Amino acid sequence: DSLISLLNVSKDYNGSEAIKDITLHIKRNEFLTMLGPSGCGKTTTLRIIGGFEHPSEGQILFEGIDIDSLPPYKRRVNTVFQKYALFPHMNVYENIAFGLKIKKLEKKVIDRKVGLMLELVALAGYERRAVNSLSGGQQQRVAIARALINEPDVLLLDEPLGALDLQLRKEMQLELKAMQKRLGITFVYITHDQEEALTMSDTVVVMNRGRIQQIGEPEAIYNEP
Ligand code: ADP
Ligand code: ADP
């Protein structure tokens, strides 16, 4: 009953293996974190789950169905990167509404959904602000709202707090975790910060040199020497 399964997934780039024989089952509503040093294969794994990258070997299933046979709109996955990648010429409202406008929803419906998202990320009242007038933490909140407004089943987050200072990072860790539980969305979260992984996750996957070294609940990972 996994939402996402990776079965013996490997990826090599010109003969060098970025990830090797990864088997991983991710449940619905799980907050799963991939932890490990730079270059261990976290981003590659995330990109493969997101369908941005094709594995060299192995299979990825969504609710038991091979993603190769699923059209992109059925994958219901969105992504948040470390660099917020907002549209700089659009204000907060327009950035968040973008994914609904291209679906041609009614303006009234869009307004209501954007309003709910702004409350969720604690930015009510910021609709008309230019995104580059916001702090890093606020910009990342806009990016998260934009990724969540289409109500994906899965949110992939690649070091989303990596560009923020320590204080803000701590606050946003707790916010993100609360948000994830409230919305019931599966989060696959990358970090190289052990404390962050242990604070936020239901499950921690420790990666090393392209392989899974350890997997378990934070307590179990923490108590390992
Ligand atoms: P992490 O996210 O843990 O830092 P990555 O998944 O980005 O690790 O990278 C894993 C390995 O694969 C690294 O050695 C990296 O240089 C290599 N790699 C990642 N993407 C590419 C690519 N597009 N082309 C060549 N090598 C890559
Ligand atoms: P990370 O924060 O995961 O370490 P990187 O800076 O390693 O990210 O990689 C950023 C992007 O560059 C990723 O999309 C990755 O696939 C790509 N990349 C990483 N290493 C290489 C490489 N050696 N050659 C080409 N692309 C790479």
Side-chain angles (χ1 to χ4, degrees), residues 13 38-39 42-44 47 53 82 158-159:
Y13 294 106
S38 184
K42 304 182 297 295
T43 301
T44 301
R47 290 171 60 82
E53 200 90 66
Q82 176 172 350
D158 193 347
E159 304 225 17

Side-chain angles (χ1 to χ4, degrees), residues 9-27:
V9 171
S10 300
K11 175 75 186 176
D12 66 49
Y13 294 106
N14 316 314
S16 119
E17 278 176 327
I19 58 172
K20 177 67 184 163
D21 202 21
I22 300 281
T23 292
L24 180 61
H25 300 280
I26 305 171
K27 291 194 281 287

